[in-house]
Amino acid sequence: MTTPATLPKTRQRLILAVLVLSSLLIWMDNTILSTAFETLADPIRGLGADPAQLQWATGSYTLVFATLMFTAGALGDRFGHRTVLATGMVIFGAAAVWGAYAGDASQLIAARAVMGAGSALIMPATMAILTWTFTGPARAMAIGVSSASAGVGLAAGPLLAGVLLGHFWWGSVFLVNVPVVVVALAGILVLVPDFRSPIRRRLDPAGLLLSITGLAALAYGLIRAGQVADWARIDVWLPSVVGAVLLTAFVLVELRIAHPSFDPRLLATRMFGGGNAALGLLLFAMTAAGFYNAFYLQGARGFSALAAGLIGSPAALGVIIGGPLGPRLVRRWSLRAVTVPALLIAGLSMGSGVFFDVDTPIIWIVILAFAQGLSIGLVLGPVTAGLMNTLPLERAGAGSAVTNTVRQTGSVLGIALGGTIMAIVYRHAIAGALADLPADVQDRARVSAEQTRHLAAAVHRPDLIHAADSAFIHAMHVGVVWTMLIALTGALVLAFALRPTRAPAGPVAGDAEPAAISSGLASTKN
């Protein structure tokens, strides 16, 4: 199918349900894995994975996810988005089974990378199918509902992982994906038309190689800086510089191609480029804030995985509410009037972590988590809808690939840089408490607060537990300030991208987005 046909509303709703289930699978899987980290690190109950291996279990997935998505968009335009979505589901399900029965941490990292490949096929196809299925305000509402699936996944993941880990072995947190894959795959094959673009973008192996090696090198350099707490080391700055150079070369290569898999030209327009930059900064801040919060609740506060999931669930509830609420508010006011203040509130709520301590009342954490989730939900759906509405249907695959790639790149850098900031500050903060310990014990204790707490019991130094908690809280405070500044920068970028456009005397090349879209979705017609 090369042109969109008007589908019955019942079928549209069923298609939306399938797409939401597909997105839910990805969001749920990520939160499930982070909840299982402590078990995976246990040499008896898990794989005995060290902190670096656990970091790459997440990093391998996100790197592959981020760098394959634009190629997946081209595959969807060429072979049909339904075909690509179904293929991604099969790959994701098979890799989940592999991960469940991994014999060591290296196999788990490899399985997670393959799961990232499956997710990379799923996400752009999901957005492209949604864009072809719905038009006008219905599209904005559908994107809002789809965005709300993030909240459902964020809420369900930790709770489900807590239940599974309490009754089954660690591999069950991967096998739980399989029934979801089967149901979603059946819905895809029965309900979803095989939309495809009339423009057949050629595959781009050079761009793929440059992007994945560049982003991997940059992420490695940033993560390595946190491990050694020294930016001057050659194994820190050299990979970072090489990564930046390769990513620059990637952009230059894509600009020379008539129909690239990742089209940087789309980012040249004020709304699409600025809006994507704002979303990338938001995802950067979100992943860093989530990283800090997991260690704060389970480490410094000592809550179980299930209890931590319950405490954090108001954030997910906020996203669930904000996703469909956002388009309604935008139709009443404007895209700029709704999303810019919401992003400001999201940034300030992230920065509120600077007031958290080991005895902060849980009610304040719950209230701020809800405010953060609600504001994020109000941003993601409406802004994504606004960005996609600036593109013609034949560029839906390319546009969704660019948008998702920017988001995941923000997530990769958020995990890498956010974790590095916390690790470096923690190393300096804990140093004084370790001064009288043997050098090898000091080295292990500097790795993380979790390692320090474990060593405190081994060397019979209970005072080190308090020192570890204090050092972690200080590191978290520094990290959340940087996270807040990143989110607030995103709000400023979004305010610029969505500023009202004065009606020009004549056509202006290179700024094709309509003023109605720039000021809001209220004037978008079905």
Side-chain angles (χ1 to χ4, degrees):
M1 180 180 294
T2 59
T3 58
T6 302
L7 299 174
K9 290 191 179 296
T10 300
R11 188 175 179 187
Q12 287 182 335
R13 294 189 187 101
L14 291 173
I15 291 173
L16 178 59
V18 171
L19 299 180
V20 166
L21 189 62
S22 302
S23 300
L24 174 65
L25 182 72
I26 295 173
W27 285 102
M28 186 174 68
D29 176 75
N30 282 331
T31 54
I32 283 179
L33 178 66
S34 62
T35 306
F37 276 170
E38 183 179 353
T39 302
L40 290 170
D42 192 296
I44 305 299
R45 297 182 298 136
L47 297 175
D50 61 37
Q53 290 171 324
L54 293 176
Q55 192 170 18
W56 280 111
T58 299
S60 64
Y61 173 94
T62 312
L63 283 169
V64 175
F65 192 2
T67 52
L68 285 185
M69 273 196 296
F70 63 84
T71 298
L75 291 173
D77 289 341
R78 179 182 291 262
F79 299 109
H81 296 294
R82 181 185 66 182
T83 301
V84 171
L85 178 59
T87 302
M89 280 290 178
V90 172
I91 293 173
F92 188 94
V97 175
W98 180 16
Y101 294 100
D104 54 38
S106 297
Q107 291 183 31
L108 178 61
I109 293 170
R112 289 288 297 167
V114 178
M115 291 177 74
S119 297
L121 296 177
I122 292 169
M123 286 299 288
T126 297
M127 183 59 67
I129 291 169
L130 190 152
T131 303
W132 282 80
T133 302
F134 298 91
T135 59
R139 179 188 295 166
M141 183 58 67
I143 290 177
V145 172
S146 180
S147 298
S149 67
V152 177
L154 291 172
L159 301 179
L160 184 58
V163 172
L164 291 172
L165 293 173
H167 295 82
F168 306 101
W169 103 112
W170 63 265
S172 61
V173 302
F174 292 99
L175 286 183
V176 74
N177 293 306
V178 176
V180 182
V181 168
V182 171
V183 173
L185 190 60
I188 291 166
L189 297 178
V190 172
L191 296 169
V192 178
D194 204 11
F195 300 117
R196 68 185 68 194
S197 172
I199 299 175
R200 301 295 181 88
R201 290 179 291 153
R202 67 185 182 88
L203 300 182
D204 184 12
L208 177 62
L209 180 62
L210 286 170
S211 64
I212 196 168
T213 54
L215 190 57
L218 180 60
Y220 175 84
L222 294 175
I223 293 171
R224 185 61 178 161
Q227 293 174 329
V228 300
D230 185 358
W231 291 96
R233 286 180 48 148
I234 190 171
D235 57 347
V236 171
W237 64 261
L238 182 60
S240 301
V241 171
V242 170
V245 170
L246 290 173
L247 291 175
T248 302
F250 162 67
V251 172
L252 295 176
V253 167
E254 298 301 290
L255 287 172
R256 295 173 61 89
I257 300 174
H259 299 290
S261 297
F262 179 94
D263 193 350
R265 299 173 188 87
L266 294 176
L267 298 173
T269 58
R270 175 168 52 81
M271 182 174 178
F272 193 84
N276 270 294
L279 289 180
L281 291 170
L282 174 58
L283 266 294
F284 183 112
M286 283 175 56
T287 53
F291 183 80
Y292 301 146
N293 192 56
F295 287 105
Y296 170 68
L297 291 175
Q298 296 187 49
R301 298 299 297 267
F303 291 110
S304 68
L306 184 58
L310 288 170
I311 294 170
S313 60
L317 178 62
V319 175
I320 295 171
I321 295 173
L325 178 62
R328 295 175 184 270
L329 297 179
V330 166
R331 285 200 296 272
R332 182 168 182 176
W333 289 294
S334 73
L335 185 59
R336 192 173 194 253
V338 172
T339 59
V340 173
L343 187 45
L344 286 171
I345 294 172
L348 293 174
S349 63
M350 293 174 190
S352 66
V354 76
F355 300 109
F356 290 177
D357 208 331
V358 292
D359 55 1
T360 300
I362 294 301
I363 185 62
W364 292 114
I365 300 174
V366 169
I367 291 172
L368 289 167
F370 178 78
Q372 179 180 320
L374 179 63
S375 55
I376 289 171
L378 292 174
V379 173
L380 287 178
V383 173
T384 301
L387 299 184
M388 296 306 296
N389 281 337
T390 64
L391 302 176
L393 276 177
E394 61 269 17
R395 304 307 309 277
S400 63
V402 169
T403 297
N404 283 299
T405 298
V406 171
R407 288 186 183 189
Q408 293 305 316
T409 299
S411 296
V412 171
L413 298 180
I415 292 170
L417 192 56
T420 291
I421 290 172
M422 191 174 73
I424 290 175
V425 176
Y426 178 80
R427 280 174 173 268
H428 289 293
I430 196 66
L434 305 176
D436 59 339
L437 294 175
D440 61 327
V441 176
Q442 290 188 38
D443 289 341
R444 285 183 289 164
R446 289 192 188 101
V447 172
S448 66
E450 286 69 29
Q451 286 286 343
T452 306
R453 296 185 192 105
H454 175 74
L455 289 169
V459 299
H460 307 292
R461 286 280 304 274
D463 60 298
L464 288 180
I465 297 177
H466 175 71
D469 290 342
S470 298
F472 169 80
I473 293 295
H474 173 65
M476 182 184 73
H477 288 169
V478 174
V480 297
V481 169
W482 281 102
T483 298
M484 176 186 67
L485 293 176
I486 292 294
L488 295 180
T489 301
L492 293 177
V493 172
L494 188 61
F496 170 78
L498 301 182
R499 76 185 192 277
T501 303
R502 293 181 180 178
V508 179
D511 196 14
E513 64 269 19
I517 295 177
S518 296
S519 60
L521 300 181
S523 61
T524 306
K525 292 182 171 52
N526 199 347

